[in-house]
Amino acid sequence: MIKKIVIANRGEIAVRIIRSCREMGICSVALYSDADRMSKHVMLADEAYNIGPAPSKESYLDLDKIVEATVACGADAVHPGYGFLSENTDFARKCEAAGITFIGPRAETIDQMGDKISARKSMIAAGVPVVPGIQRQLESAAEAEQVCSEIGFPVIIKAASGGGGKGMRLVRSAAEVAEAYTSAKSEALASFGDETVYIEKYIEEPHHIEFQILGDKHGNIIHLYDRECSIQRRHQKVVEESPSPFLTPELRQEMGRTAVTAAKAVGYVGAGTIEFLVDKNRNYWFLEMNTRLQVEHPVTEEVLGLDLVKEQIYIASGEPLHLKQTDVIQRGHSIECRICAEDADNQFMPCPGLIKQITEPNGLGVRVDSYIYEGYEIPLYYDPMISKLIVRATTRKYAIERMRAALDEYKITGIKTNIPYLNAIMNTPDFVHGTYDTAFLEKNEEAISTYRLGNHPEDTELIEDMAMIAAQINYLVMQEEGATTPAAAPTGTLNRWREFGKRKGVLGM
Ligand code: ADP
């Protein structure tokens, strides 16, 4: 059994992994950059080591430094979380070569499924329906035009190494092909160091529905049902839920079986996700596989009552799966909102900065996976996601109600967050009725801003302004009464309220 794990990540996911390690009696080791000295994962872990300057390239992405630190501290495994090195096969191989268990699938599987072209080939060979398109690299804009005329518009030109919605261009007519080809290629090169692009048919207004997979080292593979991830901005997920309100029970079972077929075809070991696109007629196609833990994994944990990080650790330790497919039953409903330090009124510009005050929601069915605290300064070097708010309830309707109340309760001052924006989503009819697809945010732009301006002007800025006004009034009242501090006028302000109450008959005095 694994005894000591290095967490090669930061933020909420590092905190999340440390918590599972603690429950399991495993020693956790945090690695941190210079910008993260005061980060919560550093404080929570049993041990912590500095791995270099703030830019990720010089710290969280420096594989040699991380392997070196892992060997030096005597850890037997490394958990990469998501992002950073989680799908980097050089890293997985270097870990294995140094005798460290990489908590994830085999490096060959990451190679096979991490490249979208090679993943498409493997899935076609396994008989899994794949989004129509080509399985080779595009060599020129002219070839792109040729392929478009064969498969018909609209199409999407995509980076083979893509991720995070980058290196993707929607093309609706022949006139747009050359420009889309060139820009997708250069974005792919800049973001992933690989300019390989290919073409897929663009599925109009689809649902993004994914299935969680678990596979052990003994050939057992099960699925852990679905997550609906169609609330997206620029192809990046904003809100996720499980189960999907769109799937029928029959289709859910069928897609679950297909997901297992897909994972078996590559001998998958560990936790992974098979992503599908589902059109309005409920045709579905394999989109890609993520060979790691997903940001949205908590909604699966909530409806199944499982700890996916623990399962990952057991699998990496060589234990057979603890569950059979028939043991896996979805109960109730769960929703996750990604809380980001960004300005929804200013093109979602990241807003790092000092957190002045936080009131976290809690109560029945409310979970906050976060790494921020009062007085913490969010560094500008990393992802703007600062927290995930997850709710669970017996039905979807109750889960939405719970999420609205929890978002109302969640107060973060000092920085701008997308909390009011998320609350508006929770109150948009298409979301409430579960009748939405990946075009939701585009289609509902007006409904969302109308809601925000009309009903819920609870932006942090406003709260701060009100607090300032209240403090100023208090100060002026005290000055009028000849006192400079509240202690010097212990009853003055109170009496004033009493007077007011008496006059209005509010206090019944
Ligand atoms: P990434 O790896 O960058 O996350 P994905 O291939 O997973 O990219 O796609 C991200 C999102 O982009 C999908 O959830 C979907 O909204 C949209 N998308 C991708 N491919 C297609 C397609 N062929 N048709 C329609 N939408 C697509």
Side-chain angles (χ1 to χ4, degrees):
M1 184 67 197
I2 291 168
K3 291 195 179 65
K4 188 170 184 177
I5 296 178
V6 161
I7 294 116
N9 215 305
R10 63 178 301 282
E12 69 83 22
I13 194 61
V15 171
R16 161 79 191 82
I17 296 163
I18 292 167
R19 289 200 170 117
S20 290
C21 289
R22 182 137 309 150
E23 281 184 29
M24 296 172 84
I26 294 172
C27 177
S28 57
V29 183
L31 302 180
Y32 63 95
S33 71
D34 291 345
D36 270 343
R37 278 178 195 283
M38 299 306 289
S39 226
K40 195 163 176 180
H41 76 289
V42 179
M43 299 181 205
L44 277 186
D46 296 317
E47 292 174 24
Y49 300 97
N50 181 277
I51 46 161
S56 315
K57 274 205 173 109
E58 297 168 51
S59 48
Y60 298 108
L61 288 172
D62 187 332
L63 23 142
D64 291 317
K65 248 189 232 167
I66 292 178
V67 173
E68 211 176 286
T70 309
V71 172
C73 77
D76 35 29
V78 55
H79 196 308
Y82 52 69
F84 290 134
L85 298 173
S86 59
E87 292 176 286
N88 184 313
T89 42
D90 281 347
F91 180 58
R93 289 199 170 93
K94 281 192 173 168
C95 287
E96 297 298 338
I100 303 159
T101 303
F102 174 81
I103 302 180
R106 288 174 289 115
E108 304 86 80
T109 316
I110 304 177
D111 272 339
Q112 192 176 358
M113 300 310 270
D115 178 284
K116 294 190 196 217
I117 294 178
S118 124
R120 289 167 62 81
K121 283 185 192 156
S122 307
M123 291 301 104
I124 291 168
V128 170
V130 170
V131 177
I134 58 168
Q135 281 69 248
R136 62 173 193 278
Q137 170 176 2
L138 281 175
E139 301 292 351
S140 66
E143 188 190 353
E145 279 168 29
Q146 174 63 32
V147 174
C148 290
S149 68
E150 281 162 27
I151 65 173
F153 292 103
V155 301
I156 192 160
I157 299 182
K158 262 188 180 181
S161 305
K166 290 211 183 93
M168 226 186 270
R169 292 292 180 279
L170 170 61
V171 189
R172 291 203 178 269
S173 70
E176 300 166 25
V177 177
E179 148 66 17
Y181 170 77
T182 314
S183 64
K185 247 173 101 114
S186 58
E187 189 172 306
L189 184 63
S191 308
F192 316 110
D194 170 15
E195 59 174 1
T196 309
V197 294
Y198 70 102
I199 292 187
E200 269 177 23
K201 180 84 187 152
Y202 183 71
I203 310 293
E204 296 279 3
E205 300 180 358
H207 287 251
H208 173 123
I209 298 174
E210 56 188 36
F211 276 70
Q212 178 72 51
I213 287 293
L214 278 186
D216 65 18
K217 292 181 176 170
H218 309 276
N220 304 305
I221 297 183
I222 59 171
H223 72 80
L224 302 180
Y225 286 102
D226 52 303
R227 294 186 286 257
E228 169 81 57
C229 308
S230 299
I231 308 285
Q232 299 181 353
R233 217 189 126 257
R234 297 197 175 156
H235 307 303
Q236 278 199 286
K237 299 159 191 167
V238 178
V239 173
E240 304 93 351
E241 60 179 315
S242 181
S244 159
F246 186 66
L247 292 187
T248 59
E250 298 73 32
L251 185 56
R252 175 170 291 115
Q253 293 303 331
E254 184 187 327
M255 288 175 71
R257 284 193 294 271
T258 306
V260 171
T261 303
K264 279 198 168 147
V266 294
Y268 198 79
V269 174
T273 298
I274 308 284
E275 296 187 339
F276 294 103
L277 287 183
V278 186
D279 75 3
K280 62 174 185 294
N281 300 316
R282 293 192 172 79
N283 299 305
Y284 70 93
W285 299 273
F286 169 86
L287 177 66
E288 66 160 345
M289 179 170 201
N290 286 321
T291 54
R292 54 169 165 81
L293 198 64
Q294 304 270 94
V295 175
E296 59 274 20
H297 77 274
V299 293
T300 298
E301 295 185 322
E302 293 299 321
V303 292
L304 300 186
L306 272 180
D307 179 333
L308 282 173
V309 174
K310 272 191 186 173
E311 298 304 325
Q312 285 186 299
I313 296 171
Y314 285 132
I315 291 168
S317 303
E319 288 198 20
L321 290 184
H322 297 159
L323 291 159
K324 296 191 294 295
Q325 189 65 61
T326 46
D327 298 332
V328 184
I329 296 162
Q330 291 177 304
R331 282 201 177 82
H333 202 92
S334 179
I335 305 175
E336 173 182 278
C337 282
R338 299 189 185 196
I339 313 287
C340 298
E342 60 188 19
D343 184 357
D345 295 322
N346 188 14
Q347 288 154 17
F348 296 86
M349 283 284 281
C351 294
L354 182 71
I355 310 244
K356 289 190 192 152
Q357 177 268 342
I358 307 178
T359 308
E360 271 187 5
N362 55 31
L364 180 66
V366 176
R367 163 175 170 185
V368 180
D369 279 20
S370 150
Y371 76 103
I372 55 169
Y373 56 88
E374 286 178 7
Y376 175 68
E377 187 161 359
I378 300 165
L380 48 85
Y381 298 93
Y382 314 110
D383 195 272
M385 193 182 78
I386 49 175
S387 160
K388 299 184 312 204
L389 175 57
I390 304 116
V391 298
R392 172 177 42 83
T394 46
T395 65
R396 184 169 189 272
K397 179 174 181 287
Y398 292 166
I400 295 174
E401 289 169 3
R402 186 158 288 164
M403 182 58 91
R404 285 181 192 149
L407 285 165
D408 274 341
E409 221 180 285
Y410 210 162
K411 305 286 185 234
I412 304 174
T413 59
I415 53 158
K416 281 199 159 75
T417 74
N418 62 342
I419 291 176
Y421 180 77
L422 293 164
N423 216 333
I425 293 175
M426 290 299 128
N427 285 279
T428 303
D430 276 350
F431 183 79
V432 174
H433 301 137
T435 49
Y436 67 85
D437 53 52
T438 55
F440 170 87
L441 288 180
E442 238 170 277
K443 278 192 210 156
N444 287 283
E445 214 169 305
E446 211 183 304
I448 290 172
S449 57
T450 310
Y451 176 84
R452 286 193 51 200
L453 295 174
N455 300 326
H456 253 256
E458 79 272 60
D459 297 39
T460 49
E461 209 175 336
L462 197 78
I463 295 164
E464 278 184 64
D465 287 350
M466 277 162 55
M468 295 288 272
I469 293 166
Q472 185 68 11
I473 290 172
N474 194 35
Y475 173 73
L476 291 174
V477 165
M478 287 192 303
Q479 263 204 338
E480 205 184 294
E481 290 169 351
T484 47
T485 61
T491 51
T493 320
L494 207 62
N495 284 341
R496 192 175 286 265
W497 284 109
R498 287 225 174 93
E499 277 298 305
F500 180 77
K502 257 189 238 170
R503 260 186 273 134
K504 292 267 180 192
V506 185
L507 299 176
M509 290 189 288

